[in-house]
């Protein structure tokens, strides 16, 4: 007699998630189950997009950062130039919510790469570090990793010398200091040599601002760079609002050039709004409302709504969907949370006692729409899509790209909306170790969608649930899209890939699986050796487009 239990275990059709599928490449995940190891280049993308702030449910921020740093180093060792090119592409295309992981990885490439890698990294420096703040972050990271040798000095000096004078003046005025770094600090380390008189004057102003009076003589209509700097100096001395308004109009001064006392005035914000960069506008909605500018049906409300609806502007400004989602959540609350360190060294957010502004419904709707527009073009696949949200306990810990209060669980729901709003046929289910009811639909506003996940209880994880559910209810699905951290460990159950293969056999549909990774860990439930399965990174602004292309059979 055949020992049935032996056949069952070794057939590789049904394996509990607490054991690896025999003959597969599965490894132990952090939850006590087994998942597939994520390809190191894929993990690089996860880190670039999701960062490591807040850690995950299973490992703390420091350990997660270290794991990711080691993964970046492994990519640099395997093919450093490719690593630099991937980092550069993600940064330049605005696919990541924050540029910090790219800057950090660049610093690693500059410090640990072979000569070809270091050269590529220094060439990429001005393209990745596009603002003074980015440059300060780079200086901070690289400072901790290596000394300031000749190549690095030359690369950083070129950041200053290759920029045109007006842009350089703007960078030095707008980003005067961040995290303990100033342009004077960086210049002292990099020793840039000015290539012309105006550049020399800007460098002199940066390093010896206290004697800025001479800058007035250079501030001629022909020298718009020095005129801008002089406009900034005049704003520091201004005594009344009318002078501030005049200076903003004359010199196109940004918010950062003004003493903060003026930012309580609606008229000042109105003047700033005229030429305000898109990202600054999205970030300043609360401040503009607090000052009383964005009232219903006002001219300023109209300007804001028009710009938020302009896909070209959003794309050119590299506005990331996360920035929009984050702005929507804060704006809709009517107050901004203030962060402070508590006495145990932790970080807490407190809300003010009273609401600080009244959000207008039209701006909330415009933000909701802008979230979709900020993703790369998504053409509907017109396939039957089941969107499966892992809402287990681990997904409710940590934060996406360092956004306070935005957990992987919240983020999954928002991400699923992009596909739900694009596709003609979709269903959304959420699961823990069983199906969990979650009433969300494509027509709901995102802040409400995110709120809907907040109230869910915590639970265990079984990522096979979407496939098991679809099979049990005979729901025809071409593509399963599962938003998860891949920390699946259910027992008794079977592995998600086994459930998918069962589903394919019994339903006669060659169903695909897309795993949308929502944390920067190194696991996936997708079998890398099955062409019908693919990994994308949650909140990569290219992800919804890639999901649709894959579902359409174009990848
Ligand atoms: Ca979990």
């Amino acid at each position: 007699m055949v020992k049935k239990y032996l056949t069952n275990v070794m057939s590789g059709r049904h394996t509990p998630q607490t054991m690896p599928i025999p003959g597969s490449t599965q490894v132990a995940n952090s939850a006590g189950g087994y998942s597939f190891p994520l390809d190191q280049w894929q993990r690089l993308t996860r880190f670039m997009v999701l960062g490591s702030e807040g850690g995950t449910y299973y490992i703390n921020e420091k350990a997660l950062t270290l794991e990711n740093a080691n993964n970046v180093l492994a990519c640099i060792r395997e093919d450093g130039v490719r690593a630099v090119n991937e980092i550069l592409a993600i940064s330049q295309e605005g696919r990541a919510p924050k540029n910090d992981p790219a800057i950090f990885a660049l610093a690693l490439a500059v410090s640990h790469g072979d000569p070809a890698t270091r050269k590529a990294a220094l060439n990429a420096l001005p393209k990745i570090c596009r603002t003074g703040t980015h440059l300060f972050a780079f200086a901070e990271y690289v400072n901790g990793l290596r000394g300031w040798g000749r190549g690095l000095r030359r690369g950083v000096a070129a950041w200053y010398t290759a920029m045109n004078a007006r842009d350089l003046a703007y960078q030095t005025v707008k980003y005067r200091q961040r995290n303990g770094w100033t342009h004077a600090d960086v210049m002292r380390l990099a020793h840039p040599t000015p290539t012309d008189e105006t550049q020399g004057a800007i460098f002199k102003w940066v390093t010896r601002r206290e004697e800025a009076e001479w800058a007035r003589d250079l501030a001629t209509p022909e020298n718009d760079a020095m005129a801008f700097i002089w406009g900034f100096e005049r704003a520091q001395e201004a005594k009344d609002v009318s002078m501030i308004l005049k200076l903003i109009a004359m010199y196109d001064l940004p918010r950062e050039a003004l003493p903060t006392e003026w930012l309580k005035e609606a008229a000042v914000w109105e003047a700033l709004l005229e030429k305000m960069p898109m990202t600054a506008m999205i970030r300043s909605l609360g401040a503009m409302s607090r000052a009383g500018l964005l009232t219903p049906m006002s001219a300023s409300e109209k300007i804001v709504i028009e710009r938020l609806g302009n896909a070209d502007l959003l794309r050119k400004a590299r506005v990331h969907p996360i920035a929009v989602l984050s702005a929507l959540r804060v704006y809709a609350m009517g107050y901004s949370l203030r962060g402070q360190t508590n006495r145990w060294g932790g970080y807490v957010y407190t809300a003010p006692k009273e609401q600080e502004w009244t959000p207008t419904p039209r701006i909330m709707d415009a933000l909701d729409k802008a979230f979709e527009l900020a993703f790369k073009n998504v053409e509907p696949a017109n396939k039957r899509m089941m969107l499966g949200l892992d809402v287990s306990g681990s997904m409710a810990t940590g934060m996406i790209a360092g956004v306070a209060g935005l957990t992987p669980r919240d983020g999954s729901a928002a991400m699923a909306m992009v596909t739900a709003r694009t596709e003609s046929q979709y269903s959304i289910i959420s699961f823990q170790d069983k199906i969990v009811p979650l009433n969300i639909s494509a027509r709901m506003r995102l802040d409400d969608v995110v709120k809907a996940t907040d109230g869910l209880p915590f639970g265990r994880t079984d990522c096979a649930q979407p496939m098991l559910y679809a099979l049990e209810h005979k729901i025809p699905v071409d593509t399963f899209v599962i938003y998860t951290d891949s920390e699946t460990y259910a027992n008794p159950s079977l592995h998600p890939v086994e459930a998918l293969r069962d589903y394919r056999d019994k339903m006669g549909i060659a169903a695909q699986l897309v795993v949308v990774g929502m944390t920067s860990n190194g696991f996936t439930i997708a079998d890398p050796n099955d062409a019908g399965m693919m990994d994308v990174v949650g909140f990569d602004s290219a992800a919804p487009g890639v999901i649709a292309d894959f579902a359409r059979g174009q990848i």
Side-chain angles (χ1 to χ4, degrees), residues 134-416:
H134 297 163
L135 186 71
F136 297 155
F138 177 78
E140 171 76 15
Y141 293 139
V142 87
N143 214 36
L145 291 166
R146 56 165 283 172
W148 286 71
R150 204 160 54 111
L152 177 60
R153 284 205 308 268
R154 202 185 293 151
V156 173
W159 189 92
Y160 290 99
T161 54
M163 204 178 292
N164 80 56
R166 176 61 171 72
D167 289 346
L168 183 61
Y170 184 81
Q171 290 297 328
T172 53
V173 163
K174 184 168 174 176
Y175 307 101
R176 293 190 297 284
Q177 55 165 321
R178 210 57 72 87
N179 299 326
W181 284 85
T182 64
H183 285 292
D185 296 331
V186 179
M187 284 183 182
R188 263 192 292 277
L189 290 163
H191 307 297
T193 310
T195 54
D196 62 32
E197 205 182 328
T198 301
Q199 216 171 59
I202 297 172
F203 291 0
K204 185 176 160 194
W205 178 76
V206 165
T207 46
R208 281 175 293 171
R209 212 194 121 199
E210 58 282 2
E211 340 156 352
E213 278 299 313
W214 54 268
R216 184 202 336 224
D217 303 330
L218 296 173
T220 60
E222 292 76 44
N223 193 336
D224 58 352
M226 288 315 289
F228 182 77
I229 285 177
W230 186 240
F232 164 74
E233 291 293 359
R234 289 182 68 188
Q236 310 316 299
E237 307 295 322
K239 297 281 183 289
D240 54 69
V241 175
S242 63
M243 176 53 85
I244 289 289
L245 298 181
K246 206 172 120 191
L247 293 172
I248 294 170
M250 269 177 80
Y251 299 109
D252 292 342
L253 295 180
R255 174 180 62 87
E256 290 83 352
L258 308 180
T260 49
E261 63 197 270
W262 303 112
L263 299 177
K264 294 188 190 88
E265 308 277 345
V268 169
W269 282 105
E270 189 177 21
L272 288 170
L273 180 60
E274 212 168 297
K275 301 241 168 114
M276 194 181 286
M278 194 71 159
T279 42
M281 185 189 88
I282 291 171
R283 218 181 298 131
S284 307
L285 290 173
M288 288 191 281
S289 307
R290 200 186 293 122
L293 183 65
L294 299 182
T295 48
M297 293 169 282
S298 60
S300 297
E301 186 203 39
K302 187 161 175 249
I303 292 172
V304 166
I305 290 168
E306 274 170 10
R307 288 191 198 157
L308 287 173
N310 187 327
D312 269 352
L313 282 181
L314 289 163
R315 209 161 296 137
K316 280 195 196 110
R318 296 187 179 87
V319 172
H320 193 276
I322 283 276
V324 181
L325 178 60
S326 171
L328 171 58
R329 294 176 70 219
V330 173
Y331 179 71
M333 282 194 303
Y335 55 82
S336 41
L337 295 171
R338 297 188 210 298
Q340 55 187 48
T341 310
N342 67 18
R343 61 195 160 115
W344 298 282
Y347 209 64
V348 289
Y349 290 90
T350 50
K353 287 200 180 68
E354 283 169 44
Q355 203 180 28
E356 294 173 315
W357 64 82
T358 309
T360 84
R362 293 172 68 220
I363 291 180
M364 286 193 281
D365 286 344
L367 282 166
D368 188 72
K369 185 70 191 159
F371 175 76
E372 279 164 65
L373 296 176
F375 283 98
K376 310 278 171 235
N377 285 339
V378 192
E379 291 294 325
N382 294 317
K383 296 284 184 183
R384 296 164 296 191
M385 308 264 242
M386 177 171 274
L387 313 176
L389 312 183
D390 174 354
V391 295
S392 66
S394 66
M395 292 288 283
T397 303
M399 39 186 172
I400 304 251
V403 177
L406 188 68
T407 64
R409 190 157 87 168
D410 300 333
S412 299
M415 273 299 285

Side-chain angles (χ1 to χ4, degrees), residues 31 57-58 390-395 459-463 484-489:
Y57 177 78
Y58 298 102
D390 174 354
V391 295
S392 66
S394 66
M395 292 288 283
R460 295 152 54 87
T461 317
D462 177 7
C463 290
T484 182
D485 56 9
S486 290
E487 303 275 18
T488 194
Y489 61 98

